[in-house]
Amino acid sequence: MPARRFVVPDIHGCARTFSALLEKILNLRPADTLFLLGDYTDRGPRSKEVVDRIMDLRKKGQAVHTLRGNHDDMLVRACKNPEYLRVWLLNGGGSTLASFGVEDPCEIPPVYRSFFSRLPFFLELDDFILVHAGLNLQAPDPFADTEAMLWSRSFTADIHRTRRKTIISGHTPVSRDAIRASLGTGHILLDNGCVYSSRPGLGTLAALELGTLSLYFMKNID
């Protein structure tokens, strides 16, 4: 069977949901490639287990490409910057500390801190640009504004500024209908707010297969 390419956004500590998506919904095969749009941590209860699963997939030879989200970036900065530590804790960082069984982000084992610190801000494929939040298409070089890649909430896609490639991002939770509607545009939205299972219209972890633009959803079971 042909290899497939799946994009998954914003797991946010929902390790059981992530595993169920891969195993029960996508039936991930060794030849498939997995692209993850960042925010592996915070809010949900199993941040460490999410990273463990990613590392385990790679050890088994699965192609897994991981991007940096704003929560991952806050974690990295929180270790050395008290102001970022405060902001991170206000945005769900406490659940990550609990998952790792520590009280300070600097106490997270080095192998995990190395994982987070090495995450790239975007990935350009032949046909898509993958990024956590968005691009600053008003900037002389949209690929130089890493702040926008982590935090942008609203921008108008312009294929002339993105080398005629469609942008795929997470970061901002939207309904399934909004995700489906975005498939025919220059900016595909993919975050259905898995961790927000109590909010109407949210609460599933989404995946997009790039070859067919097929959508898949797994309800939060964490």
Side-chain angles (χ1 to χ4, degrees):
M1 298 181 69
R4 301 167 298 171
R5 299 177 297 164
F6 292 108
V7 182
V8 178
D10 304 72
I11 303 168
H12 276 304
C14 295
R16 292 178 180 174
T17 308
F18 179 47
S19 292
L21 175 69
L22 300 183
E23 297 166 7
K24 298 179 180 180
I25 305 297
L26 305 183
N27 296 309
L28 193 69
R29 302 191 292 261
D32 296 335
T33 300
L34 192 61
F35 299 97
L36 306 178
L37 298 183
D39 279 9
Y40 313 101
T41 64
D42 301 349
R43 304 195 192 283
R46 299 179 178 87
S47 295
K48 177 180 181 296
E49 289 88 332
V50 170
V51 182
D52 284 338
R53 184 63 197 275
I54 293 169
M55 291 179 173
D56 184 59
L57 286 168
R58 285 175 168 167
K59 287 178 182 177
K60 292 177 178 177
Q62 193 81 48
V64 184
H65 299 270
T66 47
L67 297 184
R68 181 184 300 235
N70 59 308
H71 285 261
D72 313 309
D73 191 67
M74 282 190 287
L75 185 156
V76 171
R77 294 170 180 260
C79 180
K80 298 180 180 180
N81 187 319
E83 177 59 23
Y84 260 91
L85 175 60
R86 184 187 70 82
V87 173
W88 181 55
L89 292 175
L90 289 173
N91 284 276
S95 65
T96 299
L97 293 177
S99 177
F100 281 96
V102 299
E103 297 182 354
D104 186 295
C106 295
E107 296 174 352
I108 293 174
V111 64
Y112 296 97
R113 285 190 281 119
S114 177
F115 168 86
F116 292 115
S117 65
R118 294 180 180 180
L119 294 171
F121 290 92
F122 75 99
L123 180 63
E124 185 172 0
L125 307 178
D126 290 340
D127 42 0
F128 297 97
I129 294 172
L130 309 183
V131 65
H132 175 67
L135 295 176
N136 178 6
L137 297 180
Q138 306 305 312
D141 180 4
F143 299 96
D145 189 344
T146 56
E147 191 76 5
M149 295 178 188
L150 296 175
W151 292 96
S152 176
R153 291 285 184 191
S154 176
F155 67 97
T156 301
D158 182 351
I159 60 173
H160 300 292
R161 300 300 316 279
T162 58
R163 297 186 269 269
R164 305 196 71 83
K165 298 178 182 182
T166 296
I167 299 169
I168 304 178
S169 70
H171 184 55
T172 301
V174 296
S175 69
R176 290 194 191 190
D177 287 343
I179 292 174
R180 294 187 182 99
S182 73
L183 292 180
T185 72
H187 179 201
I188 297 176
L189 309 169
L190 203 53
D191 182 13
N192 188 232
C194 177
V195 76
Y196 300 116
S197 55
S198 63
R199 299 186 186 180
L202 304 180
T204 68
L205 185 59
L208 175 69
E209 202 287 302
L210 296 181
T212 60
L213 291 187
S214 298
L215 284 168
Y216 303 86
F217 297 94
M218 177 65 208
K219 185 178 179 180
N220 187 333
I221 58 173
D222 284 85

